[in-house]
Amino acid sequence: MKEKLKQIRENFQKALREGAEQLSQLRVKYFGKNGVFTELMKNLKNLPPEERPAFGKEVNQVKAELEGALSEAEQAELRRKREQELSEDRLDVTLPGVGRKTGSLHPLTLVKNQVLDAFLGLGFEIYDGPEVEYDYYSFEALNIPKDHPARDMQDTFYITDNVLLRPHTSPAQIRAMQKKGVPIRILCPGKVFRADDDATHSPMFHQIEGLAVEKDISLADLKGVLEVFATTVFDKSTKVRFRPSFFPFTEPSVEVDVSCSMCHGKGCRLCKGTGWIEILGAGMVHRNVLKNCGVDPDAYRGFAFGLGIERVTMIKYGIPDMRLLFENDVRFLKQFI
Ligand code: FA5
């Protein structure tokens, strides 16, 4: 038995020295459940009883010694592997980095937020209306009867005779007055649709409608409110002027111009030499519209206005073609970050 233990030690040390077997295999072979040392201990019973304790002790000593040597070899192997990995896997800090692309708000969203901010500061609140709308709210309640030629101004897409895609945000005026009553100050932003398509007209575009109905309100208040809007969205020196116009739902009606932000009124290509740019339609809410909403036109008066966000954006940034706003070409959009 002693001879056998000696042999085991020598074989193990030789295998470790020469690296003939993998360390993990050596561990299983010598120290595993059915390994060399387990076998040896099982054979202890073949020794005379008086020799067993001393030999058992010796076996354990040799086992501890060899296991220690194996652990050391395993640690050394681990260190060697890690060093090899580190030397092969060098980080080249001189390589150019991969830039992260950041998103940004679309120019139409930027301008919409600026316009809303200008009016929210004046006590207006936001009111949402549906994009798929009834003929009644889009036209009839706005004093535009069926077959009236004024319907051509806002020709849209019909789903049935009575249901259509709203051609302007004005139907929200009616819904808001009928639901909330007066006095009222609201802004209705949203998508609208028209049978239009060219460089300055799109079949889908965005409007913001404003409405204020109070006991003492006049065209002069409308002008003051629109001046706040114009000087917030364009530059501080922007002037506002009214020209007589016609909308069936306002009386009197006006087209609103702002002084040209490019030439400051001198006349240039943007304002076609006039010094002024048409920006929106507005007026005092027609008596019939107030009546249709259950409001007494002798007790209350109101003003309303409606602007196209695409048009304001084009003027503000000098964009020549509305379609650029919908093509989503990143080279165009990143100019507004
Ligand atoms: C109206 O839509 C009225 N509802 C505005 C209004 C409200 C007047 C309240 C009085 C009182 P108009 O059709 O002019 O008005 O359209 C308003 C703005 O929408 C225009 O100034 C223009 O900037 C924009 N717009 C009109 N059609 C298009 C289109 N096809 N594409 C892009 N913008 C358009």
Side-chain angles (χ1 to χ4, degrees):
M1 289 286 273
K2 275 203 175 245
E3 194 47 41
K4 189 159 187 201
L5 184 61
K6 195 173 159 219
Q7 195 61 49
I8 288 171
R9 178 196 248 148
E10 279 171 15
N11 287 349
F12 178 87
Q13 285 170 337
K14 186 163 178 264
L16 200 61
R17 226 177 14 254
E18 294 174 357
E21 288 177 72
Q22 299 241 331
L23 297 179
S24 56
Q25 280 170 353
L26 269 187
R27 184 172 281 286
V28 175
K29 186 169 163 187
Y30 282 86
F31 309 109
K33 226 162 63 190
N34 301 315
V36 172
F37 277 97
T38 314
E39 278 306 305
L40 204 61
M41 289 307 249
K42 274 188 201 157
N43 290 337
L44 217 60
K45 62 180 182 302
N46 302 330
L47 285 178
E50 64 282 7
E51 288 180 25
R52 285 181 203 166
F55 186 69
K57 201 172 163 197
E58 204 179 334
V59 171
N60 279 334
Q61 272 169 1
V62 174
K63 186 181 174 199
E65 177 201 328
L66 300 188
E67 245 186 329
L70 181 62
S71 295
E72 255 175 48
E74 283 169 342
Q75 290 298 321
E77 173 68 4
L78 220 74
R79 274 197 301 278
R80 191 191 59 72
K81 273 197 182 144
R82 191 167 308 144
E83 267 157 31
Q84 187 183 352
E85 265 169 29
L86 286 174
S87 66
E88 280 170 4
D89 208 17
R90 278 260 171 91
L91 180 70
D92 185 351
V93 289
T94 62
L95 280 176
V98 183
R100 243 180 228 206
K101 293 199 175 115
T102 46
S104 63
L105 292 179
H106 191 280
L108 290 176
T109 308
L110 284 175
V111 171
K112 179 186 87 176
N113 290 347
Q114 284 173 16
V115 174
L116 292 180
D117 275 355
F119 290 114
L120 291 175
L122 297 172
F124 284 77
E125 54 181 296
I126 293 175
Y127 187 90
D128 264 336
E131 289 168 13
V132 179
E133 194 41 292
Y134 290 108
D135 181 281
Y136 168 77
Y137 291 104
S138 307
F139 293 119
E140 276 183 58
L142 285 162
N143 201 31
I144 319 175
K146 276 207 186 330
D147 303 319
H148 193 283
R151 285 198 175 204
D152 282 353
M153 290 164 75
Q154 285 113 11
D155 191 18
T156 184
F157 306 99
Y158 284 80
I159 293 163
T160 67
D161 276 355
N162 252 339
V163 179
L164 45 87
L165 299 183
R166 64 176 179 185
H168 50 178
T169 36
S170 301
Q173 263 190 50
I174 306 295
R175 286 182 177 274
M177 276 195 280
Q178 288 184 352
K179 186 153 183 217
K180 290 167 81 88
V182 288
I184 191 170
R185 273 187 211 182
I186 50 153
L187 288 172
C188 312
K191 286 194 182 73
V192 299
F193 307 85
R194 289 194 193 176
D196 279 342
D197 194 10
D198 61 39
T200 53
H201 294 87
S202 163
M204 185 287 299
F205 61 103
H206 301 80
Q207 283 192 339
I208 296 181
E209 172 98 3
L211 169 75
V213 181
E214 288 170 29
K215 283 214 155 118
D216 274 317
I217 208 166
S218 72
L219 213 56
D221 296 307
L222 171 63
K223 193 156 188 238
V225 164
L226 292 179
E227 269 166 7
V228 172
F229 146 74
T231 51
T232 308
V233 174
F234 302 106
D235 67 73
K236 288 253 170 298
S237 59
T238 307
K239 304 263 176 307
V240 171
R241 79 172 183 188
F242 284 176
R243 277 179 297 110
S245 184
F246 171 76
F247 294 102
F249 33 91
T250 45
E251 180 58 38
S253 301
V254 291
E255 278 305 335
V256 180
D257 297 340
V258 289
S259 53
C260 178
S261 52
M262 195 134 105
C263 64
H264 301 285
K266 289 190 199 82
C268 69
R269 191 175 42 82
L270 183 65
C271 59
K272 301 194 183 90
T274 62
W276 294 93
I277 297 174
E278 186 185 310
I279 193 93
L280 58 90
M284 299 304 291
V285 181
H286 197 289
R287 290 174 65 85
N288 291 350
V289 174
L290 292 175
K291 275 195 234 161
N292 289 340
C293 299
V295 178
D296 177 359
D298 294 319
Y300 282 92
R301 287 160 61 80
F303 64 66
F305 56 87
L307 59 86
I309 300 174
E310 282 76 4
R311 182 157 176 77
V312 175
T313 308
M314 288 168 79
I315 294 166
K316 187 174 162 91
Y317 295 115
I319 299 168
D321 191 323
M322 191 172 286
R323 287 166 290 207
L324 286 167
L325 291 166
F326 300 115
E327 279 166 1
N328 284 336
D329 183 331
V330 176
R331 288 166 305 176
F332 169 75
L333 294 177
K334 73 179 177 193
Q335 298 175 74
F336 303 92
I337 289 174

